[in-house]
Amino acid sequence: MHPAFSVIFLTTLIGAGQGLFLALFTSESYSAVGLLPKQSHTFYAIGGFLALLLLIAGLIASVFHLGRPERAWRAASQWRTSWLSREVIALPTVMGLVFLYATIHLFEWNPMFLGYGFGDKITLVLGGTAATAIFILFLCTGMIYAAIRFLKEWSNPLTIINFILFGGASGFMLASAYSSFYAPELVNFFGGWAIILTLSVWVTRSASLIRNARLKPTSTIQTAIGVRHTKIQQKAMGMMGGSFNTREYFHGKTALFLKSIKWIFIVLSFPLPILILWAGMQFDQQPLLISAFVIQYVGLLFERWLFFAQANHPQNIYYQTV
Amino acid sequence: MTQLALVIDLNVCVGCHACVTSCKEWNTSGEPGPLVDENPYGKDPTGTFFNRVQTYEIGEFPNTETLHFPKSCLHCEEPPCVPVCPTGASYKREEDGIVLVDYDKCIGCKYCTWACPYGAREIDEKQKVMKKCTLCVDRLYDEALPESERKPSCVLACPTSARLYGDVHDPDSEVSNAIREEGGYQLMPEWGTKPSNHYLPRRKTRMHIHEDELVRADNPLKQEDIRHETSKDVTLDDWF
């Protein structure tokens, strides 16, 4: 497929935003049971708004993917059948819940329900709801790709697992950089989880790379045009200057280019940020923590580019003389 | 249940592209507005078409065969492009099985093109909506047209009658007969999309001559030779 930068930015930005919120909520629930020191409301409020900012940035990027964004509201209507429609509902829901969570922390609200005050628990309840919504959003985003059975590179549970783990890894990376400003005692907690998540996604993404390398196409030129012969060559595609079919489904790069992107993404997403983060935690260096997140995010852009470019659509069989 | 569809006879298609131009002409002049054309007279002309004719070479020189292959939306009975549409712009008509896009609802997200294994949909880069073969739905029911012209444009244009149109669910229709009797097949049946459009394969008419026929064991002249021995009577055929 042709990698569209709008979708690359959408999936990586909201992934990091979702991961950052999960990191914040994890630390808040840990401190609720006394496993971590309690943090100020401002810490969660600013972190929550930072996550919201990433989600909004992702939403803005997604608008560039649409031909007629002014009709985007219609996209919520087919939630019964379309994972894209489900994502269109889940994303604003997550944004709304994250906004509420951050606002309640910011103003330290303690709303009373039927004469009962929740105290600090209201944000825990809200955070739990938001975290659930975030996992649903991850599922929707992953299923948009995994549900297309024609693209065998995507049509696999690993797609969803990778989306969740990549989002989590970059979110916890960002959380450890963020906490170095407001809650230095949490840096190692977030950093530790960031390393665990990065290592796990290293395993699962490698598994999908290995799987993709061994895939055999279901359709062949023989089934595509219905002629039983081992030697069939396309001589004309039916147009001269290319068409939507020759632009949308091809990355237009060489195999060597793809291979180089693969190694760039592997180095930038996994070993390099882990090393830098570890050094940052070890030597208490804030710039290292920030660059660990930035480097991994850049690595994720390469990863997502390859994710699209590697998917080989069966319609390409009809357009072989590109 | 009616399922309107095309049956394309690859045995008679000569690859003249008359269906392509006729399709473009009809569908660019209709109510939904023109089908985009960029650089129509320039170096790299490109644009939206509902129908393309491709050419394949089968076999290796000198034993080759040329196949002209018209390709358009197959109006699948299980269209994978329809359920993925987030706005409901893509739909399959209950009454005649035609798969259509509502150009007023489409947001141009291109998700349906990912979900079509045939690459049958092409976005209109100007209107920014997805477009595809409508089976000329605006001709089929137009009572202002004479009944013989209530057919897709491509079908009317084909000079060799390679394109048949009709209801593939009616077992006695021309198209069903052709599929049944001429070996009609579907494209990429492995995906279970059940395309309604069918293709008729290239057929060869070969003369089979048995060796006996060459040496002529049943040569009628030999029969005449035998006749002398079978009759002792004098006949008009006797020469001496």
Side-chain angles (χ1 to χ4, degrees):
Chain A
M1 302 297 291
H2 176 76
F5 278 100
S6 49
V7 185
I8 292 175
F9 278 108
L10 161 72
T11 52
T12 50
L13 284 170
I14 65 169
Q18 287 165 269
L20 175 60
F21 184 86
L22 290 179
L24 290 174
F25 178 65
T26 313
S27 81
E28 194 184 6
S29 24
Y30 271 45
S31 46
V33 290
L35 288 170
L36 282 176
K38 272 209 176 348
Q39 299 304 322
S40 68
H41 284 292
T42 343
F43 172 74
Y44 295 115
I46 296 177
F49 281 118
L50 195 60
L52 186 63
L53 207 66
L54 287 167
L55 293 168
I56 292 171
L59 185 67
I60 291 170
S62 77
V63 169
F64 289 98
H65 185 67
L66 300 183
R68 304 292 288 251
E70 74 276 12
R71 298 172 180 168
W73 58 273
R74 287 188 184 276
S77 65
Q78 301 302 306
W79 53 271
R80 286 182 198 82
T81 59
S82 172
W83 282 102
L84 181 54
S85 188
R86 288 168 200 164
E87 191 195 34
V88 166
I89 296 168
L91 182 56
T93 309
V94 166
M95 287 164 75
L97 288 168
V98 171
F99 173 77
L100 268 181
Y101 172 89
T103 312
I104 286 175
H105 265 304
L106 184 68
F107 296 107
E108 295 176 33
W109 279 338
N110 179 18
M112 303 284 282
F113 288 111
L114 306 168
Y116 177 75
F118 283 87
D120 282 349
K121 286 190 210 79
I122 181 76
T123 53
L124 277 179
V125 173
L126 204 55
T129 319
T132 314
I134 278 173
F135 276 106
I136 293 172
L137 177 56
F138 271 131
L139 179 74
C140 292
T141 314
M143 278 306 287
I144 286 177
Y145 305 97
I148 300 178
R149 62 185 199 275
F150 311 110
L151 290 155
K152 293 173 89 178
E153 289 83 355
W154 295 351
S155 180
N156 185 266
L158 280 173
T159 303
I160 301 150
I161 294 168
N162 288 338
F163 268 99
I164 295 174
L165 290 178
F166 269 131
S170 59
F172 274 81
M173 280 282 175
L174 181 57
S176 88
Y178 165 66
S179 60
S180 66
F181 290 91
Y182 295 98
E185 65 270 31
L186 290 184
V187 168
N188 284 358
F189 169 73
F190 289 133
W193 276 110
I195 290 174
I196 292 170
L197 287 166
T198 307
L199 286 174
S200 349
V201 73
W202 196 347
V203 172
T204 56
R205 187 64 172 98
S206 303
S208 78
L209 282 176
I210 292 165
R211 178 181 173 272
N212 289 354
R214 298 161 64 95
L215 281 178
K216 279 211 181 84
T218 304
S219 290
T220 59
I221 181 102
Q222 284 77 18
T223 67
I225 65 170
V227 174
R228 194 175 177 86
H229 199 294
T230 46
K231 294 256 187 319
I232 302 176
Q233 241 190 329
Q234 189 172 36
K235 291 291 174 187
M237 296 190 294
M239 88 288 282
M240 290 155 71
S243 70
F244 174 74
N245 301 71
T246 63
R247 293 186 288 266
E248 173 73 7
Y249 302 89
F250 291 88
H251 47 75
K253 300 284 190 280
T254 58
L256 190 71
F257 185 87
L258 243 69
K259 211 171 182 178
S260 63
I261 295 285
K262 185 176 87 181
W263 286 107
I264 292 172
F265 115 66
I266 288 176
V267 171
L268 289 185
S269 309
F270 308 127
L272 208 57
I274 289 179
L275 274 177
I276 296 173
L277 180 71
W278 176 81
M281 288 177 353
Q282 208 67 15
F283 307 112
D284 242 355
Q285 291 293 314
Q286 201 176 47
L288 284 182
L289 297 175
I290 297 168
S291 49
F293 165 72
V294 173
I295 286 169
Q296 189 176 49
Y297 182 75
V298 173
L300 286 190
L301 295 179
F302 281 96
E303 187 275 333
R304 218 44 55 90
W305 190 93
L306 187 78
F307 173 77
F308 284 101
Q310 263 201 337
N312 186 22
H313 201 283
Q315 82 101 38
N316 291 354
I317 295 170
Y318 293 109
Y319 298 90
Q320 300 197 338
T321 55
V322 174
Chain B
M1 273 270 285
T2 309
Q3 173 64 62
L4 298 180
L6 298 173
V7 170
I8 296 165
D9 192 345
L10 300 178
N11 202 38
V12 286
C13 175
V14 291
C16 70
H17 291 248
C19 52
V20 180
T21 49
S22 160
C23 162
K24 178 83 171 186
E25 192 277 329
W26 176 260
N27 286 296
T28 205
S29 333
E31 204 179 331
L35 294 178
V36 71
D37 265 319
E38 286 172 87
N39 303 322
Y41 306 106
K43 185 167 157 262
D44 288 318
T46 184
T48 303
F49 283 75
F50 293 167
N51 183 25
R52 309 262 187 191
V53 178
Q54 305 188 321
T55 303
Y56 295 85
E57 186 178 86
I58 297 156
E60 237 174 332
F61 182 81
N63 297 318
T64 56
E65 216 179 283
T66 303
L67 179 85
H68 299 294
F69 181 80
K71 175 176 171 286
S72 59
C73 172
L74 306 171
H75 298 280
C76 298
E77 300 200 35
E78 300 284 343
C81 54
V82 168
V84 300
C85 176
T87 66
S90 275
Y91 63 104
K92 188 172 174 67
R93 280 160 54 113
E94 290 274 324
E95 61 269 37
D96 52 19
I98 301 178
V99 178
L100 287 177
V101 180
D102 184 337
Y103 301 147
D104 292 331
K105 280 187 186 168
C106 176
I107 55 170
C109 71
K110 304 181 204 162
Y111 193 36
C112 54
T113 65
W114 297 5
C116 170
Y118 308 100
R121 292 164 166 249
E122 297 188 18
I123 204 159
D124 187 311
E125 298 282 2
K126 202 152 207 171
Q127 290 184 23
K128 299 282 181 198
V129 293
M130 196 54 69
K131 293 195 171 176
K132 64 178 283 301
C133 163
T134 64
L135 213 66
C136 287
V137 68
D138 49 349
R139 292 187 68 94
L140 307 182
Y141 303 100
D142 186 356
E143 289 184 6
L145 291 172
E147 208 171 335
S148 61
E149 285 180 28
R150 289 179 211 160
K151 283 180 177 181
S153 231
C154 56
V155 174
L156 295 173
C158 183
T160 59
S161 303
R163 303 175 78 94
L164 311 175
Y165 155 78
D167 176 10
V168 288
H169 280 187
D170 171 7
D172 299 321
S173 67
E174 186 193 11
V175 279
S176 291
N177 267 322
I179 296 168
R180 196 166 55 237
E181 291 168 9
E182 313 283 330
Y185 63 90
Q186 297 170 321
L187 305 184
M188 292 187 186
E190 61 273 18
W191 294 115
T193 53
K194 295 193 194 163
S196 305
N197 282 12
H198 283 67
Y199 286 77
L200 304 183
R202 287 179 48 78
R203 277 102 66 206
K204 291 208 173 145
T205 313
R206 285 203 176 84
M207 222 166 87
H208 294 283
I209 301 172
H210 198 266
E211 221 173 305
D212 277 4
E213 292 170 279
L214 286 173
V215 295
R216 309 211 65 172
D218 55 347
N219 190 333
L221 285 174
K222 286 182 182 165
Q223 295 292 324
E224 284 172 26
D225 288 344
I226 294 163
R227 189 200 49 208
H228 287 287
E229 286 164 32
T230 51
S231 169
K232 300 281 181 209
D233 299 333
V234 176
T235 69
L236 281 172
D237 286 341
D238 284 342
W239 4 69
F240 44 80

